């Protein structure tokens, strides 16, 4: 099973269980998942190798591997409330999300799958938005909805709520930070029910029962921008979560739009700053539509093949030398490969082992460090 | 006397009288003034030729030529309230203004001449500004003043007033649309007195006694941007006078800055639009300073020599043919020269005659039409 051909394949039940077990196992993130499945040919083969790889990476004790029973239980629990697990290689997976390096291998989807196939704009902003900000988010989302766009947002209070409400009739997608049965904030369970009941959808990469923690929100934000052609930030103070979404969106190659405000309004400081950095100043839906229309015409570009060679039988001496080059300060992978004096395939293999042993942290920009 | 060497020459009293008579004569604007003085070697020589040129251009009756007595009277009236007439070739004339094609040949300056030599930022905006807009204009002008910039504005109600008031201590220049003795609005006579009394300045290209008409304000606006490195538009509705200033500023090669506002605030519609068109989004003084600092380092570039050849003895047949090619619809000067089948020098001579006869209108972008 190759993860690089979205929409062209369909997992068997056994494969889906294998995928779920692998991504739910300790120290396996979306990028590691992809390396493993590409090089062992499938999730079940990778699962068999996990303990050995982690041991070679120096794991003090073996990481937890998700059992078949747990995977089946998660799938069953989701089904009860209408959640389907869609794999990144399958039809039904949001096509733009599938292009990301760190796309979730399996996405829990509740509601109208077809909503995820339509051109989407994310609308985000402050939880404690002003009346003007809430009104503008609603007007913009309604206008974009009338123009045929699905609105994605994070189901939060404030701007998110306005954006969802104004696009319930035209189509909206809520991107959750926790499990589908752990809606945050709890008072938005009714809003989510309305979204699902009106042919909208909710998506999450987290297991059922997962209560969202603070660190899950930035992680979730990559999905909000990931499903969209562009992200509109309506109101945002400096150093707010919406600015993280905007930064991630830019890194993902998404268009970033920001709504201006008075310099005397702290809730506009973040959006004004985004415009200074190159975001498109947005006062009406046409500002967004004019910018994304040329992109919509283009076919979705799949991500670069990530099957860089990995040598899964590194020598013990290579492993020792590469590990000794690492420390708590992040170092560029490219520098590490140069300093290691061995093949990139060997370095990648050692890093994967360390990662599975829970000893390696991957930062943005190709930086790695020991934990 | 050559008009192309600002700061290097000083007019004699007789020359100054000649310059004033020429620019105050019918159908002589700054551009025509420059053509005449360049080609006849001085204002008094040009004055002698005016009736003949206008007659050849088909003037029904000779245009009024300003008498020496009237010129002396204007100079004397100005002196009584401290107005000096500074020529565009003289030290004391604002150096950046001198680089414009349509720089006033003589500028009436009242107050501190040295204020016009310092780096200047224009701050303009709505007359019916919001409280936030007025406050921001004041803060920005004070901060720019503290950073060493002189603030230029138009002495109007609203943003202009805030900008002047906040920069009285650091230095401010009021650019008037009427004569120095015809302050508009009249209730700002006290503000102007304060500006002059605090080492500021006022400038005008209009004669003493001239009551500003509606059409004088757009004309005046080119001086506001002309003396400045850049223009900050603080609040402006769509189709407002401040946007005219911004457009002229861009044509003059000045930096344009605009202060953002909520899309729901009509007083921000013009400034948001300016940012969409490329103006620098401005929320604090450093946005302005960072953009103009590199320009300040460069010496002021003098305008291109405008001594394009003019043949002051065109044939009657050339005159007839060129005039017949003209009509009420504006035509490009370059197209006219091509169609005329004669030398550019002859075409320019005929146009100058028509202009002095009050029969030619020059539009922006090199367009001309018959009146």
């Amino acid at each position: 099973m190759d993860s690089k051909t979205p929409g062209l394949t369909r997992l068997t039940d056994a494969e889906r269980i294998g995928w779920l077990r692998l991504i739910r196992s300790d120290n396996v993130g979306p990028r590691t998942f992809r390396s493993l499945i590409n090089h062992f040919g499938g999730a079940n083969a990778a699962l068999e190798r996990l303990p050995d790889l982690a041991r070679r990476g120096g794991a003090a004790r073996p990481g937890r591997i998700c059992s078949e029973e747990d995977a089946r239980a998660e799938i069953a629990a989701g089904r009860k409330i209408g959640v389907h697990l869609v794999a990144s290689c399958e039809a039904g997976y949001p096509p733009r999300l599938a292009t990301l390096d760190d796309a979730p291998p399996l996405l829990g989807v509740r509601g109208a799958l077809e909503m995820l196939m339509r051109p989407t704009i994310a609308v985000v902003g402050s939880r404690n938005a002003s009346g003007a900000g809430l009104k503008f988010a609603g007007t913009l989302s309604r206008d974009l909805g009338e123009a045929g766009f699905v609105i994605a947002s994070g189901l939060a209070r404030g701007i998110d709520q306005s954006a969802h409400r104004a696009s319930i009739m035209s189509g909206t997608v809520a991107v959750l930070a926790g499990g589908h049965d752990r809606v945050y904030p709890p008072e938005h369970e009714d809003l989510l029910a309305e979204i699902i009941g009106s042919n909208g959808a909710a998506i999450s990469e987290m297991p059922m029962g997962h209560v969202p923690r603070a660190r899950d929100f930035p992680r979730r934000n990559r999905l909000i921008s990931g499903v969209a052609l562009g992200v509109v930030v309506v109101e945002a103070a400096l150093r707010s979560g919406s600015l993280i979404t905007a930064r991630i969106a830019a890194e993902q190659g998404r268009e970033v739009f920001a709504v201006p405000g008075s310099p005397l309004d702290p809730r506009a400081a973040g959006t004004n700053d985004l415009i200074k950095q190159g975001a498109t100043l947005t006062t009406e839906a046409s500002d967004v539509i004019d910018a994304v229309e040329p992109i919509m015409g283009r076919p979705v570009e799949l991500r670069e093949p990530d099957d860089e060679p990995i040598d899964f039988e590194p020598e013990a001496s290579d492993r020792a030398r590469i590990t000794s080059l690492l420390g708590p300060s992040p170092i560029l992978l490219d520098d590490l490969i140069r300093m290691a004096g061995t093949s990139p395939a060997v370095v990648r293999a050692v890093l994967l082992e360390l990662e599975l042993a829970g000893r390696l942290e991957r930062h943005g920009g190709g930086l790695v460090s020991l934990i």
Side-chain angles (χ1 to χ4, degrees), chain A:
Chain A
M1 180 53 48
D2 188 319
S3 68
K4 298 192 304 292
T5 47
L8 296 182
T9 45
R10 186 169 155 72
L11 298 190
T12 63
D13 283 353
E15 283 171 332
R16 197 176 315 273
I17 299 271
W19 276 46
L20 186 57
R21 287 182 64 200
L22 186 56
I23 189 63
R24 294 289 185 247
S25 293
D26 279 0
N27 304 318
V28 179
R31 285 195 182 84
T32 313
F33 179 96
R34 227 170 292 280
S35 290
L36 289 169
I37 210 166
N38 282 341
H39 289 90
F40 293 108
N44 288 314
L47 284 164
E48 281 172 28
R49 298 292 301 275
L50 275 192
D52 184 42
L53 292 168
R55 187 187 48 72
R56 287 197 278 168
R61 51 198 172 90
R64 201 188 56 87
I65 292 181
C66 175
S67 69
E68 193 178 321
E69 293 66 38
D70 285 353
R72 288 191 186 279
E74 178 182 338
I75 291 173
R79 275 206 189 128
K80 277 191 191 159
I81 59 165
V83 175
H84 294 269
L85 285 177
V86 183
S88 58
C89 58
E90 292 182 313
Y93 194 93
R96 283 178 198 275
L97 186 60
T99 67
L100 301 185
D101 284 343
D102 57 353
L106 287 167
L107 194 66
V109 180
R110 193 176 163 208
L113 272 170
E114 64 272 22
M115 201 54 65
L116 303 173
M117 299 299 110
R118 284 173 43 195
T120 299
I121 301 293
V123 176
V124 301
S126 304
R127 289 190 300 276
N128 64 336
S130 71
L134 294 172
K135 186 177 171 191
F136 182 82
T139 305
L140 180 76
S141 300
R142 189 167 45 249
D143 291 349
L144 287 170
E146 282 171 9
F149 292 91
V150 170
I151 301 299
S153 196
L155 204 71
R157 301 181 187 101
I159 298 296
D160 289 20
Q161 180 179 10
S162 276
H164 285 305
R165 282 226 170 276
S167 56
I168 279 188
M169 298 314 295
S170 51
T172 193
V173 173
V175 185
L176 309 179
H180 277 282
D181 55 349
R182 293 292 183 270
V183 173
Y184 183 87
E187 69 264 31
H188 282 184
E189 277 179 13
D190 287 353
L191 173 58
L192 182 60
E194 260 190 86
I195 291 172
I196 302 294
S198 311
N199 210 29
I203 60 176
S204 168
E205 67 177 320
M206 290 311 205
M208 293 290 289
H210 182 86
V211 178
R213 303 147 299 182
R215 67 168 177 270
D216 293 326
F217 291 92
R219 176 182 172 152
R220 181 275 314 266
N221 292 351
R222 87 187 195 287
L223 305 184
I224 296 181
S225 50
V227 299
L229 293 155
V231 176
V232 186
V233 184
V234 176
E235 262 186 358
L238 292 173
R239 287 172 295 280
S240 64
S242 304
L243 298 191
I244 299 176
T245 309
R247 181 177 54 72
I248 296 171
E251 287 170 6
Q252 291 173 343
R254 304 301 189 256
E255 299 295 312
V256 179
F257 303 90
V259 179
S262 163
L264 301 181
D265 181 357
R267 283 178 286 211
T271 52
N272 286 339
D273 212 45
L274 285 174
I275 299 166
K276 287 185 190 176
Q277 292 168 41
T280 301
L281 186 146
T282 301
T283 59
E284 54 190 2
S286 66
D287 296 323
V288 176
I289 296 167
D290 291 351
V292 300
E293 261 182 346
I295 309 167
M296 289 171 61
R298 278 182 246 146
V300 176
E301 281 171 37
L302 299 184
R303 64 173 171 280
E304 292 293 301
D306 51 1
D307 50 359
E308 291 171 321
I310 294 185
D311 177 350
F312 277 96
E313 296 298 340
E315 305 275 338
S317 60
D318 288 332
R319 191 175 292 125
R321 192 171 58 262
I322 291 163
T323 308
S324 74
L325 286 168
L326 288 163
S329 299
I331 179 175
L332 269 175
L333 180 54
D334 286 348
D335 288 342
L336 183 65
I337 288 171
R338 201 170 51 244
M339 287 187 283
T342 179
S343 78
V346 166
V347 174
R348 287 194 198 96
V350 172
L351 293 182
L352 187 67
E353 291 171 0
L354 289 170
E355 199 169 4
L356 291 170
R359 295 177 60 199
L360 189 87
E361 186 167 1
R362 290 187 193 268
H363 310 265
L367 290 162
V368 293
S369 68
L370 277 192
I371 292 169

